[in-house]
Amino acid sequence: MGRPSNVKPRPRGTSRRGFFTKSGSAAVALASVPMLALASRSEDDEDDDGKRVGGVSFDHGVASGDPLQRRVILWTRITPASRPKSILVRYEVSTDPHLRQVVERGVLRTGPERDYTVKVDADGLRPGTTYYYRFHARGASSPVGRTRTLPAGATPHLRLAVVSCSNHAAGYFNAYRRVAERADLDAVLHLGDYLYEYGPSEYGTARTPEPANEMVTLGDYRLRHAQYKRDADSQAVHRQHPMICIWDDHEITNDSWVGGAQNHTEGAEGAWADRVKAGLMAYYEWMPIRTVDPSDRRQNQRAFQFGDLIDLSMLEERLSARSQQLPATIPAPGLGNVFAQVGEFNNPSRTLLGAEQEAWLATRLRTTDARWKFIGQGVMFAQLKAQGAPLAVGGGLFFNSDQWDGYQPARDRLYSVLKGDASNPSVNNCVILTGDIHTSWAADLSQDPNNPITTTGGYNPSTGEGSRAVEFVGPSVSSPGLDDPTGNTAAYLRSVNPHFKYIDLNQRGYMLLDVTRERVVCEWWYVDTVASLSNIQTFGVAFEVQNGGNRLQPSAMTTPRTNAPALAP
């Protein structure tokens, strides 16, 4: 989300940060060796040439992610005193935080070819169980991490945190620390922009990025990941909870699509394909994530089954198939340029997901037995208009061609899945979770939200009739949104977009989801500042969707679980 205006001239397309400004007045997945005997101390201290080498440290903490019912990815990174060809690493997994009841051990090696990162796909675990883990190398031990597998079968209750847009240069990750302190979470979803590519003072001045330039090469991406993983609050959230993450654009560069990006100059910054390859190599090295397709690392869509309660589909919307963003060319006084759904905007070949991923998502939505169908994704699905109008007269004017508004035929295809047809029933209980836009929104999802006649496919904002699903959009961890202290801009946006039930443009924080078979409650929690370290958070508001309702209604703060498993020491 966002693009500094003082770095490079902007080519065609509408940046998301531009909307805020104007409207505001084999380096992957290193697998564990199957239950090797633990190495002796002498072997542990030697590299592949048998030479005695120096010590190591665990400067970047530990992490876990991509939990399944019997497996979970465990991650760490070794910081060696020198650069040996190979380092032997041991790991252990236990059911208690003091690691006295070990259920799995293993040995593996890492080296410079994967930037000394370590990734274990721990297997043979029990569903719905909290585990603790630790790594050892050359006499040093990592912090103890805590993770949790997904439940199987009947699942009455789940609690998830949702975060996105963590810009180290823009401020401190206080929201991560508050999430880390919640012992009763089943997982944390990160919906993209885990890190940002810019150089010093290009998009935030609170902290100085490493390296001191925009990240373009493999070395740049690795150094930036390393800086983010050294952050104490980032380490805290990774250490306490498994993370299910997707990338958005800034993991490579701003407003990316399959063939390029707004913030990429072909030639001067190398070839786009090489930059993507470098960025993804570092991403898979440094994130606790599985590789979907080793022959095509741009494929990142993944699915997670939380018992019979939630089926979660995580979407890839940038690098595998997205068509290039179209420019907004209609001047709107005080708002910059906007666009209408005419001409090329209505080309049915334009896509965010690509045909293969669209079919994959449709199949999951139609066939899952889970009560709730969650979709985790990067850019806002709900229509966001500068001027409202029913579809019959054009649909109005839109702000941002980088989100689903710029890909109307693709959005219509997903609505067709939700509505059903002669061969497929309608899909109910769909909840879309979104990051990217650095602000907080709750929306009923209607294909024609400015048409009040529900019998013609419209939407009744008073009752929610005509809504097919709901969307919760989370605030950023630290990236800037819009300064709207009076709420005037939010009020204007709601007046034009009646399907939005909540808009907050100012605050940073996270979302908390409390899920039962009867309803999904989304709570917005806000930190008081990102300009300095702080332990203050406040509850903002809550909305819920009830089973079979497909529309939002006001809710209240939920009660944390009692007797949650102990946090990692």
Side-chain angles (χ1 to χ4, degrees):
M1 163 71 190
R3 172 64 185 151
S5 59
N6 62 345
V7 183
K8 286 190 283 228
R10 192 179 148 42
R12 38 191 238 126
T14 303
S15 79
R16 290 153 287 153
R17 186 168 181 254
F19 156 67
F20 285 125
T21 302
K22 294 166 187 172
S23 66
S25 359
V28 244
L30 177 61
S32 61
V33 180
M35 295 308 295
L36 297 179
L38 291 182
S40 67
R41 176 57 58 85
S42 60
E43 183 186 1
D44 200 20
D45 289 339
E46 295 174 355
D47 66 14
D48 284 345
D49 292 331
K51 292 176 166 182
R52 192 60 62 103
V53 293
V56 303
S57 56
F58 292 87
D59 296 348
H60 304 94
V62 297
S64 69
D66 273 12
L68 301 176
Q69 291 174 355
R70 296 188 178 277
R71 297 161 56 194
V72 65
I73 294 290
L74 308 178
W75 177 96
T76 193
R77 199 259 182 176
I78 309 294
T79 302
S82 58
R83 284 186 61 82
K85 292 192 304 182
S86 176
I87 297 175
L88 199 72
V89 184
R90 298 173 290 148
Y91 71 93
E92 55 189 338
V93 181
S94 177
T95 55
D96 71 290
H98 302 292
L99 284 87
R100 294 172 182 148
Q101 301 171 27
V102 174
V103 297
E104 181 176 348
R105 289 188 174 94
V107 179
L108 53 138
R109 289 187 179 273
T110 187
E113 73 283 355
R114 53 181 54 88
D115 203 19
Y116 297 101
T117 58
V118 177
K119 195 177 290 189
V120 175
D121 199 344
D123 202 351
L125 306 178
R126 297 197 305 266
T129 302
T130 296
Y131 290 95
Y132 303 83
Y133 61 96
R134 181 169 54 188
F135 295 89
H136 307 274
R138 295 184 182 163
S141 297
S142 74
V144 175
R146 174 180 178 267
T147 191
R148 186 169 178 83
T149 53
L150 301 188
T155 303
H157 186 206
L158 291 165
R159 283 168 70 85
L160 307 170
V162 183
V163 293
S164 64
C165 303
S166 38
N167 183 356
H168 190 275
Y172 290 85
F173 298 159
N174 294 321
Y176 277 169
R177 179 70 67 167
R178 304 289 78 76
V179 171
E181 292 167 348
R182 290 185 175 270
D184 65 341
L185 299 180
D186 293 279
V188 174
L189 310 186
H190 200 298
L191 299 181
D193 293 341
Y194 179 90
L195 77 171
Y196 284 71
E197 78 273 21
Y198 303 115
S201 302
E202 291 181 352
Y203 196 26
T205 58
R207 298 190 280 186
T208 302
E210 298 173 7
N213 54 266
E214 183 176 315
M215 56 184 189
V216 176
T217 68
L218 175 59
D220 294 339
Y221 285 103
R222 283 172 165 175
L223 284 172
R224 192 65 56 85
H225 274 282
Q227 181 183 34
Y228 276 59
K229 285 290 198 305
R230 289 200 312 271
D231 179 90
D233 296 324
S234 175
Q235 289 191 17
V237 72
H238 277 297
R239 189 164 68 92
Q240 300 296 353
H241 304 297
M243 183 174 284
I244 300 173
C245 57
I246 52 170
W247 59 65
D248 189 34
D249 54 345
H250 290 289
E251 285 84 351
I252 307 297
T253 195
N254 185 61
D255 282 4
S256 52
W257 57 286
V258 67
Q262 179 273 326
N263 188 28
H264 175 75
T265 303
E266 194 74 7
E269 293 180 311
W272 174 243
D274 292 339
R275 187 172 187 177
V276 172
K277 181 179 179 181
L280 291 187
M281 184 171 184
Y283 186 88
Y284 281 111
E285 288 171 344
W286 281 85
M287 299 298 289
I289 186 174
R290 289 185 183 85
T291 308
V292 173
D293 182 354
S295 67
D296 182 6
R297 292 172 184 167
R298 296 189 185 207
Q299 300 293 329
N300 190 235
Q301 65 274 12
R302 304 179 328 283
F304 301 87
Q305 186 80 26
F306 292 76
D308 65 353
L309 193 57
I310 298 174
D311 184 284
L312 169 65
S313 299
M314 300 288 277
L315 304 185
E316 197 294 308
E317 295 177 334
R318 289 290 176 183
L319 303 175
S320 61
R322 178 195 273 255
S323 305
Q324 186 172 11
Q325 299 89 338
L326 295 174
T329 58
I330 303 172
L335 299 175
N337 287 349
V338 295
F339 65 94
Q341 298 288 0
V342 297
E344 186 64 14
F345 280 101
N346 286 326
N347 184 340
S349 69
R350 288 181 51 74
T351 184
L352 268 174
L353 306 180
E356 182 179 345
Q357 190 178 181
E358 283 186 14
W360 172 84
L361 178 60
T363 298
R364 293 204 65 82
L365 292 174
R366 287 168 172 159
T367 61
T368 180
D369 292 328
R371 172 61 58 94
W372 299 99
K373 297 87 176 170
F374 280 15
I375 299 175
Q377 51 109 50
V379 293
M380 185 183 284
F381 189 84
Q383 299 181 27
L384 178 57
K385 301 182 184 182
Q387 177 181 309
L391 286 177
V393 291
L397 299 175
F398 298 81
F399 281 112
N400 180 11
S401 67
D402 184 68
Q403 60 194 51
W404 282 86
D405 283 340
Y407 302 82
Q408 182 67 35
R411 180 163 56 191
D412 287 343
R413 290 193 289 271
L414 184 49
Y415 269 118
S416 295
V417 174
L418 297 177
K419 290 188 292 185
D421 54 34
S423 303
N424 300 282
S426 61
V427 175
N428 292 309
N429 291 345
C430 182
V431 177
I432 297 182
L433 306 171
T434 303
D436 177 70
I437 202 167
H438 304 180
T439 42
S440 303
W441 313 67
D444 283 342
L445 294 179
S446 167
Q447 204 166 4
D448 197 5
N450 296 102
N451 171 14
I453 304 173
T454 58
T455 56
T456 61
Y459 170 72
N460 184 330
S462 298
T463 66
E465 185 181 359
S467 179
R468 295 288 179 178
V470 302
E471 182 174 18
F472 299 128
V473 183
S476 70
V477 170
S478 61
S479 298
L482 172 64
D483 185 18
D484 183 33
T486 64
N488 288 339
T489 302
Y492 156 71
L493 291 172
R494 285 200 61 191
S495 71
V496 178
N497 299 276
H499 51 298
F500 285 112
K501 305 307 176 185
Y502 174 62
I503 303 175
D504 182 279
L505 304 176
N506 287 289
Q507 302 184 79
R508 313 280 74 80
Y510 62 95
M511 296 189 298
L512 177 69
L513 300 176
D514 191 277
V515 186
T516 69
R517 299 193 65 80
E518 291 75 35
R519 86 294 183 271
V520 176
V521 176
C522 182
E523 304 173 14
W524 281 262
W525 287 83
Y526 298 118
V527 297
D528 65 327
T529 184
V530 297
S532 60
L533 294 175
S534 172
N535 62 3
I536 298 173
Q537 67 173 345
T538 56
F539 169 74
V541 70
F543 280 83
E544 71 178 62
V545 55
Q546 294 186 348
N547 175 38
N550 300 325
R551 64 198 70 174
L552 294 174
Q553 61 187 52
S555 189
M557 186 193 308
T558 58
T559 303
R561 280 197 190 111
T562 58
N563 301 318
L567 292 170

